[in-house]
Amino acid sequence: MIENKNYLLKAAATYGLSLGIYWIIKYMFFIFGLQVPFLYVVYWGMTMTVPYLAYILTKKYKQYIGGRISFFHAWQFGILIYFFAALVVSLVHYIFYRFIAPPNYIANAYKQTIEMMTMANVDAKLISTLKDMATPTSIGMTIQGIFNNVMYGIIFSIPVAAIVCRGYKSAGAINKEDKENTDNTIE
């Protein structure tokens, strides 16, 4: 049986939309955490479940395409669901940075990052470079968020793909095994 990749993009977009909606809900806890710090705990708890949700979605996709999936196919699917989810949640990120967050929110976060790096004795050249850079804009932060989420998808989809593709055999091995089984039954 040959692996079917015809549904990869469509299924990834559909499942990525579901994951993106989950991320929007999760991000609401982050936003409201500015007022109620306990909500950050909920936010981080929900963040820790994202790889598990990616596993569930990849497993559902595996069943959708016939129950067999290679590591690379599962990995591609995982990266794509993270990509589509990142696109969905990026709208909320932009709205937050542009309209909800205090006007100096990004600048203060940037400044605090530099201060923490200074206290942690990070290389002075790196800190100097960061100080010389312009403060990111709302759209810059949104695009950075998309790239970060895709990078997380690349990394976290590796173990998910490894788990989901267990028991997969290449098409050549399956055909050889099927031929041997039919040869044995003819005798």
Side-chain angles (χ1 to χ4, degrees):
M1 179 176 191
I2 297 176
E3 188 174 67
N4 186 355
K5 289 189 179 182
N6 294 332
Y7 302 110
L8 179 65
L9 198 57
K10 181 182 176 193
T14 303
Y15 292 146
L17 176 63
S18 302
L19 187 60
I21 292 169
Y22 176 81
W23 284 3
I24 288 172
I25 295 166
K26 177 176 75 94
Y27 198 67
M28 291 297 152
F29 284 99
F30 174 80
I31 292 170
F32 293 122
L34 295 172
Q35 306 297 321
V36 182
F38 173 75
L39 295 179
Y40 282 130
V41 175
V42 176
Y43 168 78
W44 283 110
M46 291 178 78
T47 299
M48 297 300 156
T49 64
V50 168
Y52 178 71
L53 292 174
Y55 164 75
I56 297 286
L57 295 173
T58 306
K59 195 171 173 184
K60 283 177 114 176
Y61 173 68
K62 174 184 173 182
Q63 295 307 315
Y64 179 71
I65 62 169
R68 286 187 139 29
I69 193 167
S70 68
F71 171 81
F72 188 68
H73 187 170
W75 190 45
Q76 285 176 318
F77 178 76
I79 293 169
L80 285 172
I81 61 172
Y82 273 83
F83 171 73
F84 286 115
L87 289 180
V88 171
V89 78
S90 70
L91 298 171
V92 176
H93 286 173
Y94 180 75
I95 291 168
F96 172 73
Y97 290 126
R98 182 78 170 102
F99 302 109
I100 298 173
N104 55 358
Y105 179 79
I106 296 173
N108 285 342
Y110 194 67
K111 184 179 174 184
Q112 287 175 357
T113 301
I114 292 173
E115 288 172 4
M116 285 193 313
M117 291 175 76
T118 304
M119 287 191 295
N121 295 325
V122 174
D123 184 32
K125 191 174 181 179
L126 176 63
I127 293 172
S128 173
T129 303
L130 287 174
K131 285 181 181 178
D132 293 340
M133 292 174 56
T135 302
T137 62
S138 300
I139 194 71
M141 291 294 291
T142 302
I143 292 170
Q144 180 183 352
I146 293 170
F147 286 126
N148 288 346
N149 285 321
V150 171
M151 188 60 74
Y152 297 142
I154 290 169
I155 295 167
F156 292 137
S157 292
I158 292 171
V160 168
I163 294 168
V164 170
C165 78
R166 286 184 309 199
Y168 176 81
K169 296 180 182 179
S170 67
I174 293 168
N175 290 337
K176 182 179 176 184
E177 184 179 286
D178 289 343
K179 184 178 178 192
E180 288 174 1
N181 289 340
T182 54
D183 288 345
N184 291 338
T185 57
I186 294 173
E187 294 176 9

